[in-house]
Amino acid sequence: MKVVLQNLTKIFPSRNKKSNEEVVAVNDFTFTIPDGKLIGLLGPSGCGKSTTLYMISGLQKPSGGQIFFGDEDVTELSAENRGVGLVFQNYALYPHMTVKQNILFPLQNLRGEDKLSKEEMLERAYTAAKLVQIDELMDRKPSELSGGQQQRVAIARALVKMPKVLLLDEPLSNLDARLRLQTREEIRRIQKETGITTIFVTHDQEEAMSISDMIVVMKLGVVQQIGKPQDVYDDPTNLFVAKFLGTPPINVFEGKVAGGKLYLDGVEVLDVPGVADQDVTVGIRPEGFTLDENGPMVCGLNSVEVMGRDVSVVSTHPASVNSVIRSIIDADNKVAAAETVSYSLKPHKVFLFSKQDESRIYFDI
Ligand code: ADP
Ligand code: MG
């Protein structure tokens, strides 16, 4: 099911009686979510991810704009009638019910032509349970399950009604690191097997990047960039997006462009043809540095961390905004123990941003 968001906006009235400042939680969000894809909705806390999800689900009413499922305008439709499955961070299982009863619950309220026989309900419940691999745990209570298993029950409960759209709001946040990894792969597998259009909300860029067909990066209610994870990483539209994606994060410098050359701390480091003379903010991805003893970027060497396949070099540079620079170098290249380490730069890993509005300034490579 294709989902269309058209100028979707949500404004909350001020919570504070003294000030009249309203909160624009979601501002003019327009996007078509293609049928059968998994979309990662990504951004820092408070940027409007949950609000967007609740509007799609029908739990919250938009202040403006429209929502379509396929060609049907569902903006005024109640949550029950939209055919969405919702999964929250805190599982929200009924503690006094068994796993089986929890999964069956949404089916028992179906009325009219949707009403199912007991056998049909059980079959659906077991199919959903098998899909998330908890069919052996059907008679347990939620308190007898691990966090990861509880979240699987919540997913099964969302799937049992065969929703047209699956909405997941930070579903992995309560799990420990290893379970988070495992469960996110599970969610991807389930999504692929069922082909349900899925929106996955997270503040964790790595999580969103690893399982999404496309990511939507939000900031303060405004969509910053939409694209395939790799494309957004390789070609960020502004400094916010560049900084939000990637571990270790992008290295940021104060720089200057003059005569088509980029200068850091007065030293020419890269050709940037086509850019007008100006002060710029410079982002360099950790993998954008090449060890080069004659390279123009001479950095103070702090430490070298061996990580097996790669080596992480921690260094300093006068133009760096952060106290240290992190670069990732192939482990085959040896970093000599010395006071300094010198690099040349990979042009496609260097991004320039406007000092005025932090938007990207492109140069010809
Ligand atoms: P996220 O899920 O990305 O952390 P939310 O969508 O929950 O962000 O919130 C977006 C903004 O809207 C925040 O500034 C939040 O404080 C505000 N907000 C969310 N829900 C309400 C509400 N019911 N009333 C007033 N403000 C709200
Ligand atoms: Mg939220």
Side-chain angles (χ1 to χ4, degrees), residues 45-51 54 89 169-170 201:
S45 178
C47 73
K49 305 181 296 293
S50 295
T51 305
Y54 297 161
Q89 172 178 342
D169 192 359
E170 312 242 8
V201 162

Side-chain angles (χ1 to χ4, degrees), residues 69-83:
F69 285 4
D71 295 324
E72 189 193 357
D73 185 342
V74 300
T75 317
E76 298 297 324
L77 214 57
S78 69
E80 307 85 75
N81 295 323
R82 284 196 194 183

Side-chain angles (χ1 to χ4, degrees), residues 10-15 23-26 43-54 60 169-170 201-203 218 220-221:
K10 179 73 181 180
I11 300 170
F12 289 110
S14 162
R15 279 181 180 150
V23 177
V24 186
V26 178
S45 178
C47 73
K49 305 181 296 293
S50 295
T51 305
T52 303
L53 212 65
Y54 297 161
Q60 278 181 354
D169 192 359
E170 312 242 8
V201 162
T202 178
H203 62 273
M218 290 181 82
L220 294 172

